Amino acid sequence: MILLLVVLTILVSCNAVEYKPIWKSLDSRPLPSWYDESKVGIFIHWGVFSVPSFRSEWFWADWKRKDDDVVEYMKKNYAPNWNYQNFAKDFTAEFYNPDEWAEIFANSGAKYVVLTSKHHEGYTLWPSKYSFSWNAKDVGPGRDVLGELATAVRNKNLKFGVYHSYYEWFNELYLADKATNYTQTDFVDKKVNPELIELVNAYNPSLVWSDGDWEAPDTYWKSKEFLAWLYNESPVKDEVVVNDRWGTDIPCNHGGFFSCQDRYNPGTLQQHKWENAMTLDKTSWGFRRNAKLDDYMTTLELLTQLTSTVSCGGNILINIGPTKDGIIAPIFQQRLRDLGTWLSINGEAIYSTKPWTTQNDTLNANVWYTSKGSAVYAISLGWPEHNILNLGAAIGIFKDPATSVYLLGNGNEALKWTLNNDSVNINFPDKSTVKSEWAYVLKIIPSSKVNFI
């Protein structure tokens, strides 16, 4: 019996994949299934930049680079000797309640949450020993705000992930390496990679969202070595998901899912799993006190991003920026609540779906398709004129009269439809009887005789 166990252990060990620190090997790792099934995530940009909450999360860099608006703002509101580090004491988070945040995120229908553990300013939201006196425990809230949120999010059965910026605008170690054209790697060896490993070991994130990579090659960041450790040895090696921002020319070419560029939404089917990281505030990732209502996406604009993204095989990561005191502004809460209401009715057309043979309808640009098993979902971004929706791409499914179609949120009564030469016309019910708002989902169930996928 003991000999049998030894043999089985050897066989398992021999069959285990060891990923090498080269892209061909790292790219061969299958993406953990939870990520594609989830479809919807929440992004949170929070840090010292939330204190001035003016212009964007790039406030410090814009100030140093003499941006006119930022320089004028500082001149009017702060003493001449004020420096950016002075803002940290006002990053108070006195109203921060991670359980309330997690409740908002869970009710939005999101399945994972990604927090900026460290942005380009270098300030960490956990008590990192590699960021002494420039972290949320030592200055500001006096709390491990990252750890608290990780616990609260997981208590809601959501996955927790971390955003981490490689470079730091004004870190002297980084600037010294940069001055050598990145032939010196002190910043990576003494700060970045130890910090990343500490972050993963301490909080076991299901997702590591890398950024701040674009000034230097992956060989400088030693990102391949980090990913090999992450996939082979880390405590999250079996479930962790990563993006593609690991060095110059790496985005959209290597890594886990492709995030390519901010607000990436190609509008066409992609062969590699991808993510649309976008913002509810159209111009900033961090909170802005002077934002106007028109600067925020409407609920319909958000649902348009969601449906077009998922239809084309992507996930959507919806960004909000909390205030310095730890409040998620009501405008963000309202949009997320609307999203959750819509997904509570129409979520089966989003979660765990696959792209269909067509993404955007050939006759109706307001209709996007997804599929699950034998069902096809047609998502209409608006109520059809005269209560009749005309579809072109789905005409083949309806050539068999046994095909049935239902409107989600309208009970189990099949809708009537008629077939023409170039379209199928589907009769919608009285709008006052329909639960859904903003966008409307048809579930099309074809005859078993029709092979449409």
Side-chain angles (χ1 to χ4, degrees):
M1 183 65 179
I2 294 175
L3 179 61
L4 178 60
L5 288 173
V6 170
V7 172
L8 287 174
T9 301
I10 293 173
L11 287 173
V12 170
S13 176
C14 290
N15 289 330
V17 176
E18 181 175 350
Y19 297 98
K20 299 177 181 179
I22 56 175
W23 285 120
K24 183 177 180 181
S25 176
L26 297 170
D27 289 344
S28 71
R29 177 179 181 263
L31 194 70
S33 59
W34 73 260
Y35 178 78
D36 180 59
E37 293 165 0
S38 296
K39 305 300 184 187
V40 184
I42 300 294
F43 214 177
I44 310 165
H45 273 64
W46 201 32
V48 173
F49 52 81
S50 306
V51 177
S53 52
F54 179 79
R55 175 57 70 86
S56 77
E57 68 288 346
W58 277 61
F59 180 89
W60 191 9
D62 290 340
W63 183 21
K64 287 284 189 178
R65 294 164 188 168
K66 309 298 183 184
D67 178 277
D68 290 342
D69 290 344
V70 175
V71 169
E72 184 65 20
Y73 172 82
M74 291 303 299
K75 186 183 298 184
K76 285 182 177 180
N77 296 284
Y78 295 92
N81 61 345
W82 189 270
N83 61 51
Y84 188 79
Q85 285 77 2
N86 290 339
F87 284 121
K89 65 180 175 54
D90 294 323
F91 181 50
T92 50
E94 67 263 35
F95 299 124
Y96 172 52
N97 185 329
D99 292 328
E100 287 184 0
W101 282 25
E103 181 80 14
I104 291 168
F105 303 149
N107 289 341
S108 77
K111 301 300 182 183
Y112 60 101
V113 175
V114 179
L115 174 67
T116 49
S117 70
K118 185 194 77 170
H119 201 257
H120 313 321
E121 63 189 9
Y123 181 89
T124 66
L125 295 186
W126 83 98
S128 174
K129 64 183 179 182
Y130 301 99
S131 189
F132 179 73
S133 79
W134 192 233
N135 66 71
K137 184 71 171 178
D138 292 343
V139 58
R143 301 163 63 177
D144 180 1
V145 297
L146 186 150
E148 292 178 29
L149 186 62
T151 298
V153 162
R154 289 170 175 144
N155 285 343
K156 290 293 183 181
N157 296 316
L158 306 180
K159 298 285 188 180
F160 179 74
V162 293
Y163 163 107
H164 178 274
S165 173
Y166 262 140
Y167 92 138
E168 299 174 16
W169 286 311
F170 308 115
N171 187 297
E172 291 184 0
L173 279 176
Y174 175 68
L175 295 177
D177 285 358
K178 185 176 181 179
T180 70
N181 197 28
Y182 302 109
T183 57
Q184 177 179 292
T185 61
D186 285 350
F187 179 66
V188 175
D189 297 335
K190 297 176 181 178
K191 175 71 160 67
V192 175
N193 274 343
E195 183 178 74
L196 264 172
I197 292 170
E198 175 191 62
L199 181 63
V200 171
N201 281 330
Y203 301 101
N204 295 346
S206 299
L207 193 157
V208 176
W209 213 101
S210 182
D211 196 20
D213 62 316
W214 55 82
E215 288 192 348
D218 58 324
T219 50
Y220 168 73
W221 297 120
K222 301 183 180 179
S223 50
K224 296 189 295 293
E225 289 77 6
F226 168 73
L227 289 173
W229 171 83
L230 189 68
Y231 293 168
N232 293 325
E233 302 176 44
S234 79
V236 290
K237 61 187 177 65
D238 295 325
E239 80 157 6
V240 72
V241 172
V242 304
N243 66 337
D244 57 347
R245 301 186 185 189
W246 300 103
T248 309
D249 299 327
I250 301 304
C252 244
N253 289 301
H254 298 291
F257 62 87
F258 289 172
S259 57
C260 299
Q261 61 197 38
D262 293 351
R263 303 175 182 88
Y264 177 66
N265 187 359
T268 57
L269 182 62
Q270 302 298 297
Q271 296 306 308
H272 191 96
K273 183 63 188 182
W274 61 282
E275 183 179 76
N276 175 7
M278 44 73 67
T279 57
L280 288 178
D281 176 342
K282 298 174 186 177
T283 65
S284 176
W285 298 79
F287 179 72
R288 291 187 304 138
R289 288 176 291 155
N290 60 331
K292 297 177 174 61
L293 181 61
D294 289 345
D295 293 336
Y296 296 101
M297 277 194 174
T298 65
T299 299
L300 180 57
E301 287 174 328
L302 172 58
L303 291 176
T304 300
Q305 286 290 316
L306 168 68
T307 55
S308 59
T309 296
V310 174
S311 177
C312 296
N315 278 24
I316 190 167
L317 189 61
I318 304 164
N319 181 75
I320 61 166
T323 67
K324 71 180 183 65
D325 10 57
I327 294 172
I328 297 175
I331 189 69
F332 291 135
Q333 293 192 41
Q334 191 264 334
R335 296 295 188 263
L336 295 182
R337 181 177 294 179
D338 286 350
L339 174 65
T341 297
W342 189 85
L343 285 169
S344 69
I345 299 168
N346 302 293
E348 70 170 275
I350 300 296
Y351 304 122
S352 300
T353 58
K354 300 295 181 184
W356 190 48
T357 53
T358 300
Q359 283 65 62
N360 200 195
D361 190 66
T362 51
L363 292 179
N364 193 330
N366 279 330
V367 174
W368 294 85
Y369 292 97
T370 62
S371 69
K372 186 186 296 180
S374 62
V376 175
Y377 300 93
I379 306 171
S380 178
L381 297 168
W383 191 263
E385 188 176 0
H386 307 303
N387 294 353
I388 298 176
L389 185 67
N390 301 317
L391 301 177
I395 189 171
I397 309 175
F398 289 89
K399 288 183 177 180
D400 191 303
T403 295
S404 56
V405 57
Y406 302 87
L407 182 66
L408 298 187
N410 192 52
N412 297 320
E413 184 177 352
L415 304 182
K416 295 180 180 179
W417 54 269
T418 57
L419 189 63
N420 298 323
N421 290 331
D422 60 353
S423 70
V424 56
N425 305 322
I426 301 171
N427 296 334
F428 272 43
D430 187 324
K431 190 177 181 181
S432 65
T433 66
V434 176
K435 292 181 180 179
S436 189
E437 295 182 72
W438 308 291
Y440 308 90
V441 180
L442 296 177
K443 181 176 183 179
I444 306 168
I445 303 176
S447 165
S448 60
K449 299 176 182 178
V450 178
N451 181 14
F452 62 92
I453 295 180

